[in-house]
Amino acid sequence: MKTVIQGSLSGTTGGEIAAQALRACVHCGMCNATCPTYQITGDELDGPRGRIYLLKQALEGQPVSQTTLRHLDRCLSCRACETTCPSGVQYHRLYDIGREAVVEQVGRPWTERLARAAIRRVTRSATLLGAALTAGRLVRPLLPKALKAKVTPRIAPGLRPAPHHVRRMLMLTGCAQAAAAPHFNAVTARVFDRLGVSLVEAPRAGCCGAVSFHLDAPHEGAAAARANIDAWWPDIEAGAEAVVVNSSGCAAFIKDYPDVLRDDPAYAEKARVVASLVRDPIQLLSAADLAARRAPAEPRIAVHEPCTLQHGLRLTGQIGALLRRLGYEPQPVADAHICCGSAGAYSLLQPEMAGKLKAAKLANLNAHQPAAIYTANIGCWMHLSSDSTAPVRHWLEAVDEVTRP
């Protein structure tokens, strides 16, 4: 695709990245076959190929409008199109660069700016989100349906072993997860402790920055990336083996830190080191000497593989294989590659589209009447939990159940 980047991106690293992605596209349209929003609307502009044309026009200096932005905003950033693409188009890099340029040109109504700012402010702070969830639980029956679905029940984290092993790995504390599901980190620490590995949380580490980066505040997202790198760096220099991230959405974004900080000479190399150390727990547990001590109480389960696990980290099938090895019976899930509609803050900003995707995903996950659904991402857990027939849990809870003494 012949491309000549114009405007402020001309001659920049970001402009060249966008140009490379545009030139790689051969217009085949195979991406539309796996695009969740295209499957719902059937509109070419709600599929990756159409959005690539919109981005090309914007980056070449042609007029853009609120219509352009509306079709871009409907994108879930699920990256299913990247898994499907035979030409290796790095759509998410083009999309991040191009959408920012479009927002700068056309702007947003003040109501949208306020909503996005509020979401960023609350979700990146475990303290604020925790307070909001506590208040929400008190008045949950009075809340609108969309907000009610986001108010998850409080779950006790259980015991968490103190770090005492020679082998140590860092673990992302997180923001939304630290407030809504602190048991995720506790159960992760317990499972790794049984393998002789202590997981340590750096006190100054926090939000990975993904929500800010994707909600019109890339500089805010980059600042979060720098803060985490600074927090982890002493432990990395001291020999930490890995940075364990048990939310696949956060892991996929931290893997992109080198791209987020590509123009920052003080952090670019550190970002590459951190990204190289990021591990989803399944990458470490698949090859570990992990054996079940007891049979699962209810072996019939469904595994929900988030888009960030499948298309961002490319770890499809590994969780199901491990749980099967430990005695579980994962049931088949139709259209497992299609997004559930969570996508960070997408379910708040695009509730109609997210609701349709959620209903379809839950129907497929519950089709074979599993005792529980196991996922790998905090956002998907919060999104799916409220309406699921079967309880939704983190997959490490299944591992903990059968491996604890």
Side-chain angles (χ1 to χ4, degrees):
M1 185 182 288
K2 184 178 178 181
T3 302
V4 181
I5 303 296
Q6 303 288 337
S8 60
L9 285 171
S10 178
T12 66
T13 306
E16 182 54 32
I17 290 170
Q20 288 176 3
L22 288 168
R23 291 173 190 144
C25 180
V26 297
H27 330 297
C28 66
M30 290 181 68
C31 52
N32 283 345
T34 56
C35 175
T37 52
Y38 180 79
Q39 298 304 309
I40 290 175
T41 69
D43 187 333
E44 178 75 15
L45 297 180
D46 285 329
R49 182 171 60 181
R51 292 187 180 111
I52 285 174
Y53 275 107
L54 291 174
L55 292 167
K56 181 179 187 294
Q57 291 172 348
L59 295 175
E60 289 187 336
Q62 296 184 38
V64 294
S65 66
Q66 289 293 334
T67 299
T68 307
L69 189 55
R70 182 171 69 251
H71 288 292
L72 295 179
D73 281 345
R74 285 180 184 167
C75 177
L76 293 133
S77 293
C78 69
R79 296 172 62 175
C81 54
E82 293 186 6
T83 300
T84 309
C85 180
S87 302
V89 176
Q90 292 190 310
Y91 172 83
H92 78 285
R93 302 181 81 193
L94 167 65
Y95 178 74
D96 288 339
I97 293 166
R99 186 180 57 175
E100 182 183 350
V102 172
V103 171
E104 288 178 357
Q105 289 183 60
V106 303
R108 292 189 185 278
W110 71 268
T111 50
E112 290 186 16
R113 296 199 305 272
L114 181 62
R116 287 165 180 262
I119 292 170
R120 294 197 308 267
R121 183 68 188 93
V122 173
T123 57
R124 73 173 188 262
S125 167
T127 302
L128 285 178
L129 182 58
L133 286 171
T134 299
R137 289 167 189 144
L138 294 174
V139 297
R140 192 174 186 275
L142 306 176
L143 293 175
K145 184 179 179 180
L147 283 179
K148 187 184 296 184
K150 299 300 179 186
V151 179
T152 54
R154 186 183 182 280
I155 299 175
L159 295 175
R160 180 164 179 170
H164 61 280
H165 296 292
V166 174
R167 290 188 67 192
R168 290 195 172 205
M169 298 180 185
L170 288 160
M171 180 166 65
L172 176 70
T173 305
C175 47
Q177 182 167 293
H183 62 293
F184 284 10
N185 281 2
V187 73
T188 306
R190 290 197 297 271
V191 170
F192 275 77
D193 182 69
R194 290 169 202 147
L195 296 173
V197 178
S198 289
L199 297 183
V200 181
E201 293 180 354
R204 293 185 296 115
C207 179
C208 70
V211 172
S212 292
F213 190 84
H214 294 121
L215 286 189
D216 301 346
H219 298 298
E220 193 173 276
R226 293 187 192 96
N228 284 335
I229 291 170
D230 288 340
W232 293 328
W233 201 249
D235 288 289
I236 290 173
E237 288 187 314
E241 292 183 42
V243 180
V244 178
V245 185
N246 57 12
S247 176
S248 60
C250 300
F253 185 70
I254 297 171
K255 281 282 192 184
D256 272 348
Y257 274 9
D259 203 27
V260 173
L261 299 173
R262 61 179 176 265
D263 296 322
D264 188 334
Y267 282 88
E269 181 56 33
K270 288 183 177 181
R272 283 190 284 271
V273 172
V274 167
S276 71
L277 291 174
V278 170
R279 298 289 184 276
D280 185 276
I282 192 61
Q283 293 176 275
L284 300 165
L285 297 184
S286 288
D289 185 17
L290 192 66
R293 299 179 185 227
R294 61 179 56 77
E298 297 178 293
R300 190 181 180 88
I301 63 169
V303 176
H304 169 252
E305 295 185 313
C307 301
T308 43
L309 188 83
Q310 294 188 63
H311 313 304
L313 300 176
R314 303 295 177 98
L315 298 173
T316 305
Q318 295 191 28
I319 292 174
L322 174 64
L323 295 183
R324 190 175 291 109
R325 196 177 90 203
L326 293 176
Y328 289 93
E329 300 170 7
Q331 301 300 302
V333 178
D335 293 332
H337 61 286
I338 295 293
C339 183
C340 71
S342 171
Y346 187 92
S347 60
L348 292 172
L349 298 170
Q350 302 283 340
E352 183 179 356
M353 193 80 75
K356 292 177 180 178
L357 291 168
K358 176 182 181 179
K361 178 62 69 176
L362 285 175
N364 289 331
L365 286 168
N366 285 294
H368 296 278
Q369 300 179 327
I373 295 168
Y374 289 97
T375 188
N377 184 52
I378 178 63
C380 302
W381 176 78
M382 294 180 74
H383 183 57
L384 296 173
S385 291
S386 60
D387 294 324
S388 178
T389 305
V392 182
R393 307 171 73 194
H394 195 289
W395 66 270
L396 281 164
E397 295 181 77
V399 176
D400 182 48
E401 179 186 322
V402 298
T403 61
R404 63 175 180 261

